[in-house]
Amino acid sequence: MIPAIRQQFNESFTTQKYEAMIAEIHKDFPNQLDFRVAETPVFVPKELKIKLLQACNDIIEVLLKPDFKEKTNRAIPANQNVPNEDAHPSFLAIDFAVCKDQNGELSPQLIELQGFPSLFGYQWYLGQKYRKFFIDPKGFSQYFNRLSMASYVDEMKKVLLGEENAENVILLEIYPEQQKTRLDFEITRQLWGIEPVCLTKIKKVGRQLFYEKNGKTIEIKRIYNRLIFDDLLQNFPDLQTNFKMTDDVDVKWVTHPNWFFRISKFTLPLLKSVFVPQSYFLSDLKEYPTDLENYVLKPLFSFAGSGVKLNFTKEELDAIADKENYLIQRKVKYEPIIEDKEGNMIKTEIRMLFTWEDNAPRPKLVTNLARLSRGEMIGVNFNKNFDWVGGSCAFFED
């Protein structure tokens, strides 16, 4: 996106350097890297950065409205409603496609948003690797709000641990050692001392929760939640555990599970901005748009892109019995704007990552995640056997 920086990077790039970077990741964390790392970071010009910040602000203003909870109560399935919800999530992730507007200028378009954490540990680590093995241009940063590599770690520690000791805080997942994101879990453990703990390993005594570490029983006071209900119900429907997520227990959730549903695809029709494609709950439409080919169909209650349809007919929409659980969203056209060594152009998506301390009036933008794609959509299934695709990191022009 910044021709001089892109040329400098591509001229300095070699497959050997990339392979050396991947080898070092494997050396640092044996058997932990389970997803593709893109060959290049994304260099974001100041003009696009300003638009991304404005887009985020437009969205956050809606989340801050007094009636937001009321409007999103239906988003939480009755059998997945967790007690003791707090005033706002501890983390926020907002995904944008990089597109071009009607004037031919780069512009972000919202794809999805989550009241849920992302790869906050891994992105800290990956940014350093790109800087070590490739060019490190001056005046660019993966962080925001004057954060540095070191102060970012401190910022995250405040949100993750609060006033508790690290041993009383766990990262909750189902079989964390098997998850594709386990590399992020391990980096989280090394940076902040938070142990990844499987749901099956938690013991409940009254309203208190405990886990075992090195033969010692330790009380859990905060849960850094990385467990998605949909994953649990779809893949482990018969799993029996001593602690159920919907139990009323004496812990602080970081982030509370209800926010995964409130700030999600369900939020999209509530947003109005030049950076947000038009979205409609299927149940609200008295008649469909005449140009359905320009819309994508999304189930409200799914994750990782499951159930999304890029092409569908009026008859297929009519056949959906539970229309209240679906939306249509105007398609966005990803603009291929990153050039590889051979001159091929690649699409990108940028996820803006926020923390939100308990008493803070607004979330705080701290870092980002980027993903590169040659396929029709961003994601593993659309990018098999391609290079210069996968997870990456964006460096923003100051």
Side-chain angles (χ1 to χ4, degrees):
M1 285 184 274
I2 302 175
I5 300 294
R6 175 51 53 197
Q7 182 180 358
Q8 184 185 353
F9 180 91
N10 286 5
E11 287 176 353
S12 71
F13 177 87
T14 66
T15 302
Q16 290 75 18
K17 287 182 184 178
Y18 172 73
E19 290 175 348
M21 181 178 79
I22 300 302
E24 184 161 292
I25 296 174
H26 285 299
K27 180 182 176 184
D28 290 347
F29 300 100
N31 304 312
Q32 300 294 300
L33 181 61
D34 199 12
F35 45 82
R36 195 176 195 285
V37 180
E39 278 80 348
T40 179
V42 178
F43 300 104
V44 180
K46 190 178 297 183
E47 295 79 6
L48 180 58
K49 175 183 177 179
I50 292 169
K51 291 178 182 178
L52 280 162
L53 296 177
Q54 181 60 57
C56 289
N57 188 64
D58 290 351
I59 292 163
I60 289 167
E61 287 301 321
V62 174
L63 306 185
L64 293 174
K65 288 184 176 180
D67 61 351
F68 180 75
K69 273 197 172 186
E70 180 185 348
K71 287 184 174 180
T72 56
N73 281 336
R74 187 176 71 81
I76 307 169
N79 66 335
Q80 299 175 45
N81 198 326
V82 176
N84 308 313
E85 182 182 327
D86 43 13
H88 57 71
S90 307
F91 298 102
L92 180 64
I94 309 180
D95 292 355
F96 294 97
V98 177
C99 308
K100 280 190 175 177
D101 61 18
Q102 63 271 22
N103 299 318
E105 297 177 352
L106 293 180
S107 178
Q109 288 292 299
L110 179 68
I111 298 299
E112 208 152 332
L113 67 168
Q114 300 175 318
F116 195 76
S118 190
L119 304 177
F120 283 93
Y122 171 72
Q123 290 304 120
W124 172 86
Y125 172 82
L126 179 62
Q128 295 175 68
K129 293 303 170 190
Y130 280 130
R131 289 184 178 277
K132 175 179 177 180
F133 283 89
F134 301 106
I135 65 169
D136 183 8
K138 301 300 181 186
F140 286 79
S141 177
Q142 72 185 91
Y143 304 108
F144 302 91
N145 285 299
R146 296 184 293 278
L147 291 175
S148 64
M149 188 176 72
S151 61
Y152 169 79
V153 174
D154 293 336
E155 178 75 21
M156 287 294 299
K157 182 179 180 180
K158 285 192 300 182
V159 179
L160 290 169
L161 301 187
E163 300 297 322
E164 304 295 345
N165 295 321
E167 70 170 8
N168 298 115
V169 184
I170 66 160
L171 185 157
L172 179 65
E173 246 293 11
I174 183 70
Y175 306 120
E177 70 282 357
Q178 299 175 18
Q179 298 294 330
K180 284 188 174 296
T181 49
R182 62 186 182 272
L183 173 53
D184 179 69
F185 302 165
E186 177 58 23
I187 295 171
T188 298
R189 188 185 68 79
Q190 292 191 17
L191 284 178
W192 299 294
I194 300 173
E195 198 70 29
V197 178
C198 181
L199 180 67
T200 62
K201 301 295 186 183
I202 295 177
K203 303 300 180 186
K204 185 178 71 161
V205 181
R207 297 185 72 246
Q208 292 178 295
L209 300 181
F210 300 88
Y211 75 107
E212 286 194 5
K213 181 179 178 181
N214 300 326
K216 178 183 175 184
T217 299
I218 302 171
E219 184 180 356
I220 300 168
K221 296 184 179 181
R222 291 170 75 90
I223 295 177
Y224 178 33
N225 183 45
R226 301 294 292 271
L227 177 54
I228 295 174
F229 257 121
D230 199 55
D231 184 18
L232 187 65
L233 296 176
Q234 284 195 23
N235 298 317
F236 309 97
D238 302 319
L239 188 70
Q240 298 297 312
T241 59
N242 180 255
F243 163 58
K244 296 178 175 59
M245 288 182 68
T246 51
D247 289 344
D248 183 3
V249 290
D250 187 18
V251 299
K252 163 71 175 174
W253 290 94
V254 187
T255 276
H256 192 284
N258 289 359
W259 287 103
F260 175 79
F261 299 108
R262 290 191 186 278
I263 301 177
S264 65
K265 290 187 286 288
F266 192 94
T267 316
L268 294 175
L270 306 179
L271 305 173
K272 306 299 177 189
S273 167
V274 295
F275 305 113
V276 177
Q278 288 179 309
S279 300
Y280 307 95
F281 292 118
L282 206 52
S283 56
D284 286 352
L285 290 173
K286 293 181 172 57
E287 57 183 42
Y288 304 132
T290 56
D291 58 339
L292 281 179
E293 69 276 8
N294 292 321
Y295 286 82
V296 58
L297 176 66
K298 294 182 175 183
L300 294 178
F301 305 113
S302 70
F303 73 105
S306 62
V308 172
K309 282 192 173 183
L310 293 176
N311 301 292
F312 52 88
T313 64
K314 176 182 179 297
E315 290 70 29
E316 287 176 296
L317 296 184
D318 287 338
I320 296 174
D322 55 337
K323 289 184 173 59
E324 69 278 5
N325 293 328
Y326 286 81
L327 63 78
I328 58 171
Q329 180 184 17
R330 193 160 191 85
K331 288 179 180 176
V332 302
K333 182 183 178 184
Y334 288 77
E335 186 68 25
I337 42 80
I338 297 175
E339 186 176 3
D340 71 7
K341 286 275 287 186
E342 280 69 48
N344 302 306
M345 303 303 289
I346 302 160
K347 306 167 188 174
T348 188
E349 188 171 289
I350 297 174
R351 175 176 294 176
M352 307 291 270
L353 297 176
F354 296 77
T355 59
W356 200 341
E357 292 189 72
D358 286 346
N359 297 319
R362 307 175 66 85
K364 179 177 181 178
L365 181 59
V366 292
T367 190
N368 76 88
L369 176 156
R371 294 191 292 176
L372 276 57
S373 174
R374 296 182 190 268
E376 189 174 14
M377 287 178 65
I378 302 282
V380 175
N381 293 337
F382 296 90
N383 286 282
K384 290 179 178 176
N385 304 317
F386 289 139
D387 59 3
W388 288 63
V389 298
S392 183
C393 178
F395 294 115
F396 287 74
E397 187 176 15
D398 292 338

